[in-house]
Amino acid sequence: PFCFRIVFYAPTSPGTAFDLLANILRRPEWDELTESTRIIEHLGPGDAIHYIKAKPVWPTSARDSLLLSHLAAVQVNGARAYLNVSKSIVDDRVPEISDLVRMEAGIAGQLITRVTEEERRAMGLAGEHWCKVVQIADGDLKGWIPKSVIKFIATQALPRSLKKVCQQLAVLPPSSESAILRPATALSGDVSTDLIKTTSSDVISPILAKPHVPILRRNAVPARSRWTMWLRVLMRYATPAVVAAITTLVFQMILGRRAARRMS
């Protein structure tokens, strides 16, 4: 099992950073450990099932993961911020492959906020456009992982990937608004302070739309409802264990909504 929390500052506005980090199809462009990605199903404006195949790091086997991902616009200190969280699921359409080790994510994702003036002064950030990225992961890589590989990922691969993504963000037009979430925002409106709202609309992009196929789910609740305090707990404590406990409930709601649609 592994848990980590990373905080870094990117030279752009929150919307631009979110659109690059949340776009699973662009992840191989900046993450040197990712070999390929694909979207299994787009469930709505902010929900999708993603597949990620990771590159092998000698002497370990290659790994993959199947994730239910949720995107949301939230309010932090009166300013719009963006949340991207994922959790491992089981789906009959994407069975485990014998030569790949299926990783398990209890919770993983980022919270992207606007940099405050206090943070700007403390970090010595020059320039107009900066955002803060809090990345959290709590999961299990599965299989055999020697300490040398963990050290390589933590001290070399991950820092290089973060440097590369910051270089890409620096040349993109800065925007406080997310283009990815624009359709969802237009439907649900702005989210109120200290409250995350998940849209119940079924607007599916024609590019990402897939046939209706059932998901094999575990312990899903029968309905999806509004939930509070998640962002407040994340910002105050930001520990993988706390985030995992709360966000697991959220993903159960998403899967429950999926099941309810099938039954209606």
Side-chain angles (χ1 to χ4, degrees):
F2 68 93
C3 298
F4 69 80
R5 175 179 181 267
I6 296 174
V7 178
F8 68 95
Y9 296 85
T12 191
S13 298
T16 301
F18 176 79
D19 284 348
L20 179 58
L21 291 172
N23 189 337
I24 193 68
L25 299 180
R26 296 193 62 184
R27 181 165 177 167
E29 297 178 12
W30 56 267
D31 186 353
E32 69 173 55
L33 295 175
T34 298
E35 179 176 308
S36 63
T37 59
R38 59 190 173 101
I39 298 173
I40 304 302
E41 184 176 4
H42 189 68
L43 303 175
D47 305 326
I49 299 174
H50 296 156
Y51 175 78
I52 301 175
K53 182 181 179 182
K55 298 176 182 177
V57 179
W58 189 89
T60 63
S61 301
R63 281 164 165 75
D64 67 353
S65 58
L66 185 64
L67 305 169
L68 173 63
S69 296
H70 177 69
L71 311 178
V74 299
Q75 290 286 330
V76 177
N77 298 326
R80 174 166 291 189
Y82 296 99
L83 183 68
N84 169 21
V85 286
S86 299
K87 173 182 172 58
S88 288
I89 62 169
V90 177
D91 192 314
D92 293 335
R93 294 168 293 177
V94 191
E96 295 187 24
I97 303 174
S98 58
D99 59 344
L100 294 176
V101 177
R102 178 65 53 91
M103 295 183 291
E104 182 178 327
I107 180 63
Q110 305 98 19
L111 177 67
I112 304 175
T113 61
R114 185 180 62 182
V115 170
T116 65
E117 288 301 320
E118 181 180 355
E119 291 171 328
R120 188 185 294 272
R121 289 192 298 268
M123 301 300 298
L125 303 176
E128 180 181 358
H129 303 287
W130 285 91
C131 66
K132 179 181 179 180
V133 181
V134 179
Q135 182 166 328
I136 293 176
D138 178 14
D140 192 340
L141 295 175
K142 299 294 184 179
W144 175 69
I145 301 285
K147 292 182 179 180
S148 59
V149 172
I150 300 297
K151 182 179 179 180
F152 167 77
I153 293 174
T155 63
Q156 298 185 49
L158 185 56
R160 284 200 299 261
S161 294
L162 295 181
K163 180 180 179 180
K164 190 171 183 179
V165 77
C166 285
Q167 290 172 340
Q168 293 186 18
L169 290 171
V171 298
L172 294 175
S175 174
S176 297
E177 302 297 322
S178 165
I180 290 180
L181 284 182
R182 194 169 294 152
T185 303
L187 288 167
S188 60
D190 290 337
V191 240
S192 57
T193 304
D194 294 328
L195 175 66
I196 296 177
K197 295 167 67 176
T198 52
T199 178
S200 60
S201 302
D202 290 329
V203 176
I204 299 180
S205 165
I207 298 177
L208 301 178
K210 298 292 182 181
H212 181 88
V213 182
I215 298 174
L216 178 61
R217 56 190 178 85
R218 298 177 181 176
N219 303 323
V221 296
R224 182 182 184 185
S225 61
R226 180 179 297 182
W227 45 280
T228 60
M229 301 301 292
W230 157 214
L231 179 61
R232 185 178 301 169
V233 172
L234 173 64
M235 292 301 295
R236 181 173 298 175
Y237 302 105
T239 61
V242 173
V243 176
I246 298 175
T247 311
T248 295
L249 175 61
V250 176
F251 282 118
Q252 289 176 342
M253 292 178 180
I254 296 172
L255 289 173
R257 171 175 171 265
R258 173 69 169 165
R261 288 213 328 252
R262 289 187 60 236
M263 296 175 63
S264 61

